[in-house]
Amino acid sequence: MKRLITTAACAIATCVAAMTHAAPLSEAKRAELSAHAMDQSLPIEERVATIKKLYPDMLNADGTTPTRTICVWDIVGKTGPIYNAAVDQQARMLGWGVDVKLEAYTSESVLAEDLKAGQCDAALFTGLRARLFNKFTGTIDSIGAVPSSAHMKLLMRVLTDPKNADRMVDGQYVVMGYAPLGAVYIFVNDRAINTLAKAAGKRVAVMDYDLVQAEMVQQIGANPVPTSMISAGGKFNNNNVDVLPAPLVAYNIMELYKGIGDTGGIVNYPFSQLTLQLVGRAERFPNELAQLVREDFLKRYDDLEQIVNQQIGDIPESVFIEISDDDKAEYQVMMQEARIQLRDRGYYDPYMLTLQRKVRCKFEPAHFECANPVE
């Protein structure tokens, strides 16, 4: 009798185990569920439920809430605007069934290494750094490709379409979102440096992890000075570099007015649009969930841009250096040539450059590049 009871108990346990471990989904079923989860016309709750069916182990469909660590770069740490914006995202993801733990970093390089090492499940940093993990979205920040915020907003709307979702995955990483960080301008310590030609012989700050930037600076006859995001302001303010590309928000946050002094200024022409990008480890954030995050970033575009604009603060008009329309036209040609060169070297993603050119031509169809496109 005892043996019979034991046998019955084992049989029941086997049945329960079989019931709690569903059979693997077929490829066709997975594709069907994935398309359902990506369908923007469906309620968010329905899409989240579908994602949990797709990834029961990853997203704890048994009712427990999985924890993910998102590491956030903010030059001033936990008290900064970027970190505070990430706190808002934290609450949204909890509503989707993911408990997010935030960690603040002031060094992008340390953050990038911790993402690679698996210390972070996802990382929020600049698009320049994100290019190391996904060349497609890393090309958003390409030189001269996105003239204004209006261009950027349209581009991000295009990118967030589910038809581009596969491009967000590159190896073991997935891009989960992108946000505007403002236009990049050229800060100089001498107002006479108002064209690229006049930068010849001058010391130009470049990112220390990007050798291609240094090569491009050398091509115009200038001297590249490797620097990090943290040390760039100090080098400019201490006269260790003459030229510093930076967003306007750096004027007050990095106190760049000290480096500008009485003789310098800001060339009043945006050379690129900087972004913040959230890059996750694909085994921790499936692309269907990342799609929800990307859509949420897009919905918050105006709010995120307003946060950036508030951080810029007051910049005296007298600081800006005006340049002629002829100089601007020359810059456009030179920047296009630089993009093509970097595309051909595998630095920029060709399809992203094409999307950006289409966006520019949407705003200015009579522009020279629209009749005979080369990007």
Side-chain angles (χ1 to χ4, degrees), residues 334-353:
M334 293 182 68
M335 289 189 292
Q336 183 192 63
E337 292 173 349
R339 290 195 302 271
I340 292 173
Q341 178 184 347
L342 292 173
R343 176 198 66 188
D344 293 344
R345 292 182 57 181
Y347 185 85
Y348 284 154
D349 181 85
Y351 184 63
M352 176 62 77
L353 292 182

Side-chain angles (χ1 to χ4, degrees), residues 75-86:
I75 200 166
V76 293
K78 284 189 174 182
T79 60
I82 296 175
Y83 185 88
N84 287 330

Side-chain angles (χ1 to χ4, degrees), residues 290-308:
Q291 176 67 23
L292 298 184
V293 183
R294 292 191 291 266
E295 292 171 16
D296 188 63
F297 265 76
L298 180 62
K299 290 176 183 177
R300 299 169 62 209
Y301 182 95
D302 293 337
D303 293 337
L304 295 170
E305 185 177 56
Q306 185 177 7
I307 292 173
V308 173

Side-chain angles (χ1 to χ4, degrees), residues 79-102:
T79 60
I82 296 175
Y83 185 88
N84 287 330
V87 172
D88 293 337
Q89 186 67 54
Q90 183 182 28
R92 286 175 175 80
M93 293 192 71
L94 182 59
W96 301 338
V98 181
D99 186 9
V100 171
K101 176 184 176 184
L102 297 179

